[in-house]
Each structure stands twice: as structure tokens, then as C-alpha cells.
Amino acid sequence: MDPLSSLLNGIRAEGSVVSRAVLMQPWTIRFTDDAPLTMISVLRGGGTLLLSDGTERAIGAGDTAIVHGPAPFHLADHPTAVHTSRTTYEVACFSAPAEPTESTAQELGGIRWGDDSAEATALIVGAYRAPSHRHERLLRALPPVLVVKEDVEVCAWLETAAADAARFSAGSQALMDRLLDWALVCTLRSWFDRAGADAPSWYRGLADPVLAPALQAFHDRPAETWTVAALATRAGVSRALFAKRFTQLMGRPPLAYLTQCRMDEAEALLTDTDLGIAQIGRSVGYADAFGFSAAFKRHKGLSPSAFRATAAGVPARRARAPREV
């Protein structure tokens, strides 16, 4: 599994209410989900995102914005709107959906929409749960807010899908959850493609014709005993050329990258599963628990047992095991 797919396995739209909003000025929306990621697709009209750190970002028709949480933020028809007296819609995309009605004005996820006039701003809003810690490496690669321009045809299709989900109850939750997951993958891939040198190294490497086969092989089978020579064979180049190209593009030597990936995976397994230390060690390429424990402590500063206990909120005096197993 490639790195982006693996990281996205840790974040899902399950249970999220998707809001299709048609808003007439003046309007302000406050997002209060504490969600790791919130996605806003502007189908028509537009507004300004105002983050908790003071960042402002205008978004218009065809823009899809992904906001890195969990701090609350606003979307308003005008940058000064949050400081004026007006109605503010509270969005909680993980709350229970409202029952659909035949009314021309409905409410879903805290946003009300009404007459679908040409002057209105039309949005699709969704938030993403993170039931595990695997997504944290992805979040570290993202800015507070990113914006990707979508095609007009994509916007029209999204609006139709959201309207259908609001109209029909059978399967609507599953439909919108999967729609959000699909949209997140597409938006992130587009943003990483356009980011160039600012994209994370693990993404840039997969786009390189020399490194991609080796990286794919490693991420498919991280438990295998990989050497620089074995990876170079996968890449179809000499060991020296592979090591030089890898270091230049990825910012670190091949084995250093492999070790970091293994430690990140081990950290996720220690936090999100009940697997034993030895089993986790074998799954990331270590023959025994002692070798894995030594490597983990060298990179993370804690033994696997202590890290797991600390992540679970166990006091430090109880986190020390008498013997690493």
C-alpha cells in the first residue's frame, strides 16, 4: 500500500453529516466539530475562511478547501462578518442528521438552506473522523488550510449527489460518507501534485520513475529485510546511483527513510492496537522484540511499552516495565 493510501486509512467520514447549504447574505458559519480535517466545496458564490490563528483565505466557486483542525473556525460572506451582529450557524457535522422534509427550507448539520437562487452561495460541507493515530503523519504534511480549484462539471455532480442524499433516506449516509472519502483523496492528490517541492518527500518519491518501484515494494512489504542493494535492484539502477538519487529527492538516505517509516507504523500499532511488542516488531521488519525495542527507543525516546502506556494515559511510574518483551 502506498503511503498516502496507508495514511488515509486512519481518517474517515463515517457518521459525518454532509450539509448542502444555499445561503443568502448576510451569513456566517462557525465550525465547532474539533475535527482533524474539514472539507468545504463551494459550488456557487463564495466567502472567506477565518482561522483561529487569524489566517484569512478567500474561496470562490469551484474551490474545495481543506482546513486542518481541530480548532474552531469561521466561513463568512465577508471577512468582517464575525465581528458584526448577525445570525451565526453552528456546524456540527458529526451530530445526528435531521429528518428530511418536503419543506423548501430544511436544516441539516446546523446549516439552513432555502430558495436556490442564482445569487446564493451554495456549499457542500463535511468533516472527517480520526479513530486512530495513523493520520497524524498526513496532518503534519498539510498547511492550516489548502485550496484546490475543481472543474465546473465536478461541482455540478457534487451538488446533485448531495441533493439526492438529502432527498432519499435509504443508503444516504453510506453514500455521503463514501463521497466525502473520494473527494478527500482527489483533493489531496491534486494539491500534492501542484505543491511540487513543497509536497512531502514520500509523495514526491512515488512520482519519480526511479524511486517509485522501490518505494512501492517497501511499502507493500515493510517487514521484509530490505537493503539498499535490494531496493536499487527494484529501481533498476546501480546501488550508488539509487542511494544518491534517493537522498537528493527524499532528504535522507534510503535506510534512514525505511527506519523512520517503520517507527511511524510501530507507533500507530502501539497506540491503536493490542498487539504484543514482539508481534509489532516483526510486522515492521525486526526479528525479535529486543532489537525492535532498542530501535524504537533510539528514535522515539521511549521503549515501546513505555510509549504505549504513556499514550494510554498511564502515569510515568507505571509506564516502566521490568523487562521488554
Side-chain angles (χ1 to χ4, degrees), residues 209-215 229-238 242:
V210 173
L211 301 188
L215 286 171
L231 292 170
T233 298
R234 287 282 180 176
V237 297
S238 69
F242 176 80

Side-chain angles (χ1 to χ4, degrees), residues 159-183:
E159 186 166 17
T160 300
D164 287 344
R167 200 163 39 241
F168 303 107
S169 58
S172 61
Q173 185 67 69
L175 170 64
M176 297 313 298
D177 285 345
R178 300 293 77 77
L179 174 64
L180 276 179
D181 289 339
W182 171 83

Side-chain angles (χ1 to χ4, degrees), residues 17 96-103 105-109 113 165-170 172:
V17 173
E99 291 294 328
T101 71
E102 296 300 323
S103 170
Q106 302 176 6
E107 186 170 322
L108 183 61
W113 67 85
R167 200 163 39 241
F168 303 107
S169 58
S172 61

Side-chain angles (χ1 to χ4, degrees), residues 8-305:
L8 285 169
N9 275 342
I11 190 163
R12 282 287 185 269
E14 293 178 9
S16 174
V17 173
V18 178
S19 298
R20 174 183 174 270
V22 179
L23 303 165
M24 297 297 294
Q25 292 184 346
W27 54 266
T28 302
I29 307 171
R30 177 175 168 82
F31 294 84
T32 57
D33 274 305
D34 297 331
L37 291 177
T38 301
M39 188 172 68
I40 303 166
S41 292
V42 184
L43 307 177
R44 285 175 281 116
T48 301
L49 286 165
L50 300 107
L51 306 190
S52 60
D53 64 358
T55 298
E56 295 185 9
R57 184 71 181 269
I59 54 175
D63 287 340
T64 291
I66 295 178
V67 181
H68 184 175
F73 64 96
H74 291 81
L75 176 64
D77 61 341
H78 190 275
T80 62
V82 295
H83 307 297
T84 60
S85 177
R86 60 167 64 195
T87 300
T88 298
Y89 297 106
E90 294 281 339
V91 177
C93 289
F94 294 140
S95 62
E99 291 294 328
T101 71
E102 296 300 323
S103 170
T104 57
Q106 302 176 6
E107 186 170 322
L108 183 61
I111 299 179
R112 185 174 296 277
W113 67 85
D115 295 334
D116 197 354
S117 64
E119 295 79 17
T121 289
L123 309 170
I124 293 179
V125 179
Y128 294 82
R129 293 185 185 274
S132 72
H133 290 73
R134 190 177 301 276
H135 71 286
E136 291 175 355
R137 187 181 177 204
L138 172 63
L139 297 185
R140 291 196 296 268
L142 301 180
V145 58
L146 64 89
V147 178
V148 172
K149 175 71 74 174
E150 302 287 359
D151 294 332
V152 174
E153 292 80 6
V154 173
C155 293
W157 182 82
L158 283 172
E159 186 166 17
T160 300
D164 287 344
R167 200 163 39 241
F168 303 107
S169 58
S172 61
Q173 185 67 69
L175 170 64
M176 297 313 298
D177 285 345
R178 300 293 77 77
L179 174 64
L180 276 179
D181 289 339
W182 171 83
L184 178 64
V185 174
C186 292
T187 302
L188 288 177
R189 290 206 313 184
S190 295
W191 186 79
F192 284 142
D193 284 341
R194 300 170 192 178
D198 293 330
S201 60
W202 46 262
Y203 192 87
R204 298 198 308 272
L206 288 171
D208 184 81
V210 173
L211 301 188
L215 286 171
Q216 189 66 60
F218 165 69
H219 286 287
D220 283 343
R221 302 188 304 280
E224 192 165 318
T225 306
W226 292 106
T227 64
V228 176
L231 292 170
T233 298
R234 287 282 180 176
V237 297
S238 69
R239 181 184 183 281
L241 177 59
F242 176 80
K244 180 179 179 180
R245 188 180 184 93
F246 193 103
T247 303
Q248 288 176 338
L249 185 61
M250 305 291 283
R252 67 186 73 182
L255 296 185
Y257 172 83
L258 266 59
T259 299
Q260 185 62 56
C261 289
R262 285 168 166 158
M263 294 301 103
D264 288 341
E265 175 67 13
E267 182 177 319
L269 293 173
L270 286 165
T271 305
D272 301 327
T273 75
D274 294 324
L275 295 175
I277 302 301
Q279 189 175 358
I280 292 175
R282 287 192 297 271
S283 72
V284 296
Y286 291 85
D288 58 72
F290 298 101
F292 165 62
S293 296
F296 189 90
K297 187 172 184 178
R298 186 164 56 249
H299 284 81
K300 301 294 184 179
L302 291 172
S303 69
S305 294

